[in-house]
Amino acid sequence: MKHKKMYCLTLAALLLLAAGCDQSSSDSNSETESETETEITEAEQRSYVIPEEFPVRSLDVATEEDMIELTYQNGEWVAEGLENPHTPSISTFVDELFSLQGVPTETKSPADGAVSIQLSNEENDFTLEVWSSNEQHYINVSEETFKVEELPLSLQPFDTSFLEEPIAIGLNELTEIEFNEGEETVRLNQETTLNEVEKLPFISGWYLHDVYETPFSIEYQWMEKLLGSFYQLRGPAADTPAANPVQTIILKNGQEQETLMIGESEDGRYTPVTLKEQNQHYLVPNQLLAQYTFEPLNIVDNFIALIPLNAVQTVTIKTEETEYVIEAEHELALNEAEETTLNSTFYLNEQEIDGEIFRRKYQYLARLSYSEKATPEELAGIDEAESTITIDYHYLNDGQTVSERVEFIPIENEDSYIVLKDGRTEFKASDDKLQELFNAFDELL
């Protein structure tokens, strides 16, 4: 069983492509050329802790409480020291070890408190010592210590349940997730008021409800991690239900549901969790529940108006000093392979702009985003007539032209604006991205 590193295109790049934008190479450091050439970044120093090619045949894990011996035989893991060994979970744990990367450091291993993990085959072995100190994570292997930016959940800290079978939630293909904490409710599902063009750049297919009037898509990577987390909950069974739950999570699949009742952690390591419909009780490692406490604006694609460029007809941006008018002409054509392609011509203030160059500049408009929720005091007395920047979109949706206006109302004594869109004024936007937008378009004129 060999483990090899895999690489993939970032979702951020895919999102920009969906929006009709290209990645810009202009986000480099402002350092001088000589400084850039001689500077060795932490990313350049980072290396894999375990060599890429190492067929694992045995794995021993030692903590202050546990000693586990695992042997890979006939396509599965045979264990000593585990009640319910689970080959897929053990394989995932091993994969996580092989994915660890770190930066060399002079930090020494502690006298106690480290987890010792030995990976062996017939010819060689590696012993890892893993520990954390002052919110920093370290791994020592072959007398060399690495500082690791982030450890997998299975090592924050290690728990034997990560090598055992997960808790069976009993629902597949979730269609709705509802978080209830105190008097607050956050509901996620696959319904939205966004039209088809507005939905196009957002690839998770999940949307936020019950928090803001403004519709939001859930960020793809966060949503994928969340969905997977419910099938990786684990921990020893408990005799009693979670008392006085501080949070409940309702998972739905059509008419079926399961309710997670989450109590308070009493020992700083485990949290009592009850599956209400199954009447099953568990002690779950705290790190597995951390994702269920979040700020809604931090988990969404909080773009103000991410309209795909291929659908845009015109965009007019007005400030107190200047006006930018974007016009797009699109036509379908057949290429040499007789495939239908969309050819587009772009104009800025009646001046034709090279398509690739314009797409790179358009990303500055597409990435305008909300920075935070406005306070009631900031919203009080907002006057639409006080807006100093307006953006008017006209784009095609299902053959019909849709108009959308975004207005920016400056906040006194701040470098930020209240954003008015579709009659809603819930959020603020910072000035920096607007200035980058104006600078980018000025370069084209």
Side-chain angles (χ1 to χ4, degrees), residues 36-56:
T36 303
E37 290 173 356
T38 57
E39 180 186 39
I40 300 176
T41 66
E42 186 169 288
E44 290 171 331
Q45 298 179 56
R46 192 177 300 131
S47 59
Y48 287 99
V49 173
I50 304 172
E52 183 173 2
E53 297 290 341
F54 184 76
V56 179

Side-chain angles (χ1 to χ4, degrees), residues 99-168:
S99 70
L100 289 169
Q101 297 183 63
V103 177
T105 179
E106 299 298 324
T107 305
K108 302 300 181 183
S109 301
D112 52 35
V115 177
S116 176
I117 304 171
Q118 185 179 58
L119 298 92
S120 307
N121 58 28
E122 295 82 357
E123 300 177 355
N124 206 345
D125 64 73
F126 292 92
T127 299
L128 283 66
E129 288 186 291
V130 185
W131 75 97
S132 299
S133 176
N134 297 323
E135 300 184 355
Q136 299 291 327
H137 309 297
Y138 301 95
I139 298 178
N140 182 277
V141 58
S142 301
E143 300 184 353
E144 185 174 10
T145 300
F146 299 87
K147 184 174 72 172
V148 180
E149 184 175 347
E150 184 176 6
L151 291 173
L153 292 178
S154 56
L155 292 172
Q156 297 185 29
F158 172 78
D159 188 84
T160 57
S161 64
F162 283 93
L163 306 179
E164 299 182 316
E165 191 161 0
I167 296 169

Side-chain angles (χ1 to χ4, degrees), residues 208 210-214 216 295-298 302 369-379 411 414 416-419 425-429:
L208 180 73
D210 299 332
V211 183
Y212 309 123
E213 293 181 20
T214 303
F216 282 115
E295 289 294 330
L297 195 60
N298 293 338
N302 64 340
S369 59
Y370 301 111
S371 59
E372 59 185 304
K373 198 173 189 302
T375 66
E377 292 78 16
E378 290 169 330
L379 295 177
I411 301 175
E414 285 192 31
S416 58
Y417 299 81
I418 297 290
V419 181
T425 57
E426 296 179 89
F427 299 97
K428 298 164 58 175

Side-chain angles (χ1 to χ4, degrees), residues 280-325:
Q280 298 290 327
H281 321 299
Y282 301 90
L283 293 174
V284 176
N286 288 349
Q287 64 262 40
L288 290 177
L289 304 174
Q291 187 175 4
Y292 304 151
T293 300
F294 54 84
E295 289 294 330
L297 195 60
N298 293 338
I299 68 170
V300 298
D301 298 304
N302 64 340
F303 301 101
I304 294 173
L306 187 53
I307 306 300
L309 185 53
N310 290 345
V312 164
Q313 294 177 313
T314 63
V315 183
T316 302
I317 307 169
K318 292 183 179 180
T319 74
E320 293 179 304
E321 293 83 23
T322 190
E323 179 178 67
Y324 307 92
V325 179

